[in-house]
Amino acid sequence: AAEDHTVAVKGDGTVYAWGRNQHGEVGAGTTTQRNAAVQVSGLTSITAVSAGRNFSMALKGDGTITAWGFNYYGQLGNTTTTSRSAPVSVSSIATATAIAAGTFHAMALLADGTVRAWGHNLYGQIGDGTSGFGWDRSSPVVVAGLDEVVAIGAGATFSVALREDGSVWTWGNNADGQLGDGTTTPRVSPAQVSGLPSIVTIAVGSYHVLAMTADASVYVWGRNTEGQLGDGTTTNRPTPTAVPGLTGVCAVAADGTHSLALLTDGTVPTWG
């Protein structure tokens, strides 16, 4: 679910979408708002979907990616900046295993454990060592210095990767401490978040991060203006802190300004 539209993949590999459609993000070949689900044209064998602010992505079973919607920053990854109301192929990717969409940038995890990114790059969220106006990427580029990655997440203007060794790496905008490095300085290439035990799962909100450990506890950092870090305050945290009183966690999720956990007893605490 994105800010104003929703995308769903069915068990048969087809994709449906609904909601605001100003830039074609519903993928039905028009820019007419859809108040009920419509099938995204031409998509089959889809295994995962992800939605950015005004664009959508789908991962096919063969490792290729398609995207549609708003493309001002090149977030469709097809070497252009022309918006599309029907899916187009993301260029030069054939072995993707996971996808993630930020506000105006996108990421793909490849089968070899490396990461590609494209789209808006004002804050260095692409992770190729560049940032600023004129450094957007309309086709995928290699995220510098990352390998053995097992999971990715995209915030509004920053990016997160979980490596096989349980370490978490971040890059991009850091105005609210969402990179977890103790500062509010943006970074144009990945760096490890220090002070964390071994992590098995990550969840990324617009400006905050949740990281679950092997012993089923959760660490958080970043923006906390709505209490989305769950620490009993509304103070931003630029370094990881454990969510107090939260144990027995088996899954976590984060949206714009709130967080959720699924516990082993089937209950779902939420905060933010």
Side-chain angles (χ1 to χ4, degrees):
E3 190 168 311
D4 296 311
H5 76 288
T6 304
V7 187
V9 57
K10 293 183 65 176
D12 64 2
T14 59
V15 176
Y16 287 73
W18 58 97
R20 190 179 183 189
N21 194 29
Q22 182 180 3
H23 301 281
E25 55 263 47
V26 169
T30 74
T31 54
T32 303
Q33 179 169 307
R34 301 291 186 163
N35 300 328
V38 294
Q39 187 169 354
V40 177
S41 58
L43 290 187
T44 59
S45 303
I46 300 301
T47 60
V49 291
S50 188
R53 169 75 60 85
N54 303 113
F55 75 103
S56 306
M57 303 166 60
L59 172 63
K60 296 190 70 174
D62 63 4
T64 60
I65 303 171
T66 61
W68 59 98
F70 189 49
N71 196 29
Y72 182 83
Y73 301 102
Q75 58 265 50
L76 301 190
N78 69 333
T79 75
T80 79
T81 55
T82 303
S83 296
R84 304 284 187 165
S85 60
V88 293
S89 295
V90 174
S91 66
S92 70
I93 289 183
T95 62
T97 60
I99 55 175
T103 297
F104 297 123
H105 77 290
M107 302 166 62
L109 171 61
L110 303 192
D112 64 1
T114 61
V115 179
R116 303 293 186 269
W118 60 96
H120 195 32
N121 195 32
L122 181 62
Y123 301 98
Q125 58 263 50
I126 298 303
D128 68 346
T130 68
S131 68
F133 294 103
W135 288 101
D136 299 335
R137 303 295 186 176
S138 61
S139 59
V141 296
V142 176
V143 176
L146 270 187
D147 59 6
E148 297 183 342
V149 174
V150 295
I152 54 174
T157 51
F158 74 106
S159 306
V160 185
L162 172 64
R163 295 186 70 214
E164 187 175 358
D165 63 4
S167 62
V168 178
W169 297 67
T170 58
W171 62 98
N173 190 10
N174 197 25
D176 299 290
Q178 58 265 51
L179 300 190
D181 63 355
T183 78
T184 54
T185 304
R187 189 183 305 114
V188 298
S189 56
Q192 184 176 348
V193 179
S194 61
L196 282 175
S198 182
I199 299 300
V200 296
T201 300
I202 55 173
V204 184
S206 290
Y207 304 100
H208 73 291
V209 182
L210 285 74
M212 190 180 83
T213 69
D215 66 0
S217 58
V218 176
Y219 285 76
V220 290
W221 62 91
R223 182 182 288 186
N224 197 28
T225 53
E226 311 299 331
Q228 57 263 51
L229 299 189
D231 64 355
T233 77
T234 53
T235 303
N236 292 350
R237 301 288 183 182
T239 55
T241 183
V243 179
L246 191 64
T247 58
V249 179
C250 57
V252 288
D255 198 25
T257 54
H258 74 285
S259 307
L260 307 92
L262 172 63
L263 305 189
T264 53
D265 64 4
T267 58
V268 181
T270 65
W271 57 98

